[in-house]
């Protein structure tokens, strides 16, 4: 791949712009953490994926880019042409299998038609016929009997293993397929909210080899996905400013499917860009 250079003024400006963008997400999270408070939507991406806010905030230009005038940019960088560049031999060398796996998953997912008939029932399946409520600090807007009736009304059509693995034991047999980690590249499809939210996970796993602006784009999408995810759940988050999407009704299912399609459209270019980076790196 050809190497390009960024002069010092340009890369410093990009770094400052990135910090300003992500600090809007990071600082409220850190403030809540200092107060020992949690937010089921805004804090989820940090807790679920387990990536520190500092990792999202750290700016990288991506592979094949010389930062002119840089002398101590941090771990993973080596001297090059009056500046520094990522040490690809070292970084790609220890990640080659992971990059190839991510590329395969992204390529297979992109090759399939989106499915828009699950209606977000995964969150319902996670509280189905159990007293062990995952987000126990949040009230449910329906009784446990009403939740069970909604789950049992139609087959569960979840295609995402990392949602399926949180189903309650009684809910798992109700899904149209048994999902496993090994089958994830076979079952993942681009209409799935969680598959699109996971683009943030893959972007971070590829970092610092991909530009931090791309990581932030994936995070922005994931935040919006999470909001719809919880609005369509049986939880009542109106006290936090999230109106429900009542997927137990025909109207609610229509609204949810429309949101799925919008997210799929937003995710497609991000998935394609991540895949293009994987192919370059491989």
């Amino acid at each position: 791949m050809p190497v390009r250079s960024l002069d010092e003024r340009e890369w410093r400006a990009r770094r400052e712009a990135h910090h300003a963008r992500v600090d809007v997400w990071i600082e409220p999270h850190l403030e809540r953490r200092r107060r020992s408070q949690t937010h089921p939507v805004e804090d989820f991406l940090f807790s679920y994926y387990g990536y520190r806010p500092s990792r999202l905030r750290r700016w990288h230009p991506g592979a094949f880019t010389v930062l002119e005038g840089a002398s101590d940019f941090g771990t993973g960088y080596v001297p090059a042409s009056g500046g520094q560049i990522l040490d690809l031999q070292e970084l790609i060398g220890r990640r080659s299998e992971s990059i190839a796996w991510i590329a395969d998953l992204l390529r297979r997912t992109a090759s399939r038609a989106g499915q828009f008939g699950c209606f977000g029932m995964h969150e319902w399946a996670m509280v189905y016929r159990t007293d062990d409520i995952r987000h126990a600090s949040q009230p449910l807007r329906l009784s446990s009997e009403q939740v069970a009736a909604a789950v049992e009304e139609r087959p569960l059509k979840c295609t995402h293993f990392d949602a399926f693995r949180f189903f309650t034991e009684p809910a798992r047999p109700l899904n149209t397929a048994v999902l496993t980690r090994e089958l994830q590249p076979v079952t993942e499809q681009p209409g799935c909210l969680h598959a699109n939210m996971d683009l943030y996970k893959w972007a971070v796993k590829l970092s610092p080899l991909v530009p931090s602006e791309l990581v932030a784009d994936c995070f922005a999408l994931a935040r919006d996905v999470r909001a719809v995810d919880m609005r369509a759940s049986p939880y009542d988050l109106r006290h936090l400013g999230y109106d429900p999407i009542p997927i137990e009704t025909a109207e609610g299912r229509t609204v949810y499917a429309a949101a799925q399609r919008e997210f799929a459209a937003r995710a497609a270019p991000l998935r394609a860009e991540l895949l293009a980076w994987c192919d370059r790196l491989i």
Side-chain angles (χ1 to χ4, degrees):
M1 285 293 299
V3 173
R4 66 178 187 135
S5 295
L6 292 178
D7 65 50
E8 188 168 356
R9 184 172 62 177
E10 183 179 358
W11 66 255
R12 286 186 180 277
R14 281 180 56 182
R15 184 172 64 178
E16 290 174 9
H18 175 73
H19 288 168
R21 181 186 187 189
V22 303
D23 281 348
V24 173
W25 305 323
I26 291 173
E27 289 177 0
H29 166 72
L30 294 178
E31 180 60 28
R32 283 189 295 272
R33 193 166 70 181
R34 284 190 287 269
R35 296 178 180 179
S36 299
Q37 297 174 341
T38 59
H39 193 293
V41 176
E42 296 293 335
D43 295 334
F44 177 78
L45 299 181
F46 297 108
S47 60
Y48 176 69
Y49 291 117
Y51 300 135
R52 293 184 177 183
S54 59
R55 192 165 180 182
L56 175 62
R57 194 175 194 272
R58 179 83 163 93
W59 181 80
H60 299 281
F64 316 112
T65 302
V66 175
L67 299 174
E68 295 179 357
S71 59
D72 187 20
F73 208 74
T75 303
Y77 286 83
V78 294
S81 304
Q84 288 190 303
I85 192 171
L86 284 167
D87 184 355
L88 299 189
Q89 183 175 2
E90 193 275 333
L91 287 170
I92 297 176
R94 59 186 171 86
R95 298 190 189 189
S96 58
E97 290 187 7
S98 176
I99 294 171
W101 191 92
I102 293 170
D104 180 60
L105 177 67
L106 295 173
R107 183 173 285 107
R108 291 198 196 194
T109 303
S111 72
R112 300 188 180 102
Q115 299 175 30
F116 305 101
C118 72
F119 305 121
M121 291 300 297
H122 53 276
E123 286 289 343
W124 298 64
M126 295 177 194
V127 299
Y128 175 71
R129 299 199 178 280
T130 183
D131 295 325
D132 184 17
I133 305 300
R134 189 164 178 228
H135 301 288
S137 63
Q138 303 302 323
L140 296 176
R141 59 183 180 82
L142 296 161
S143 69
S144 56
E145 292 79 11
Q146 290 172 314
V147 170
V151 171
E152 293 165 1
E153 184 178 356
R154 57 182 52 81
L156 298 176
K157 298 180 179 180
C158 184
T159 58
H160 189 71
F161 172 71
D162 281 315
F164 176 76
R165 68 189 177 97
F166 289 108
F167 281 22
T168 63
E169 287 299 327
R172 290 187 179 188
L174 303 179
N175 204 49
T176 53
V178 176
L179 305 177
T180 66
R181 178 70 69 199
E182 293 73 23
L183 288 175
Q184 187 173 1
V186 178
T187 57
E188 203 96 311
Q189 50 87 17
C192 172
L193 260 65
H194 275 257
N196 294 328
M197 189 165 64
D198 274 358
L199 292 177
Y200 169 62
K201 174 169 69 173
W202 308 131
V204 174
K205 284 185 177 294
L206 293 169
S207 183
L209 296 166
V210 301
S212 291
E213 289 89 348
L214 176 55
V215 179
D217 287 344
C218 293
F219 187 90
L221 172 63
R223 287 182 76 250
D224 292 344
V225 168
R226 176 59 179 173
V228 168
D229 201 25
M230 290 302 286
R231 288 177 60 205
S233 77
Y235 296 99
D236 189 348
L237 302 184
R238 282 174 286 191
H239 62 290
L240 296 175
Y242 298 93
D243 290 332
I245 299 175
I247 53 85
E248 70 275 14
T249 69
E251 181 182 7
R253 290 191 290 274
T254 298
V255 171
Y256 183 87
Q260 272 188 301
R261 293 181 185 278
E262 179 184 344
F263 288 138
R266 286 177 58 185
L270 298 178
R271 183 175 286 109
E273 190 171 353
L274 288 171
L275 179 55
W277 273 103
C278 289
D279 288 341
R280 294 183 199 120
L281 297 168
I282 292 172

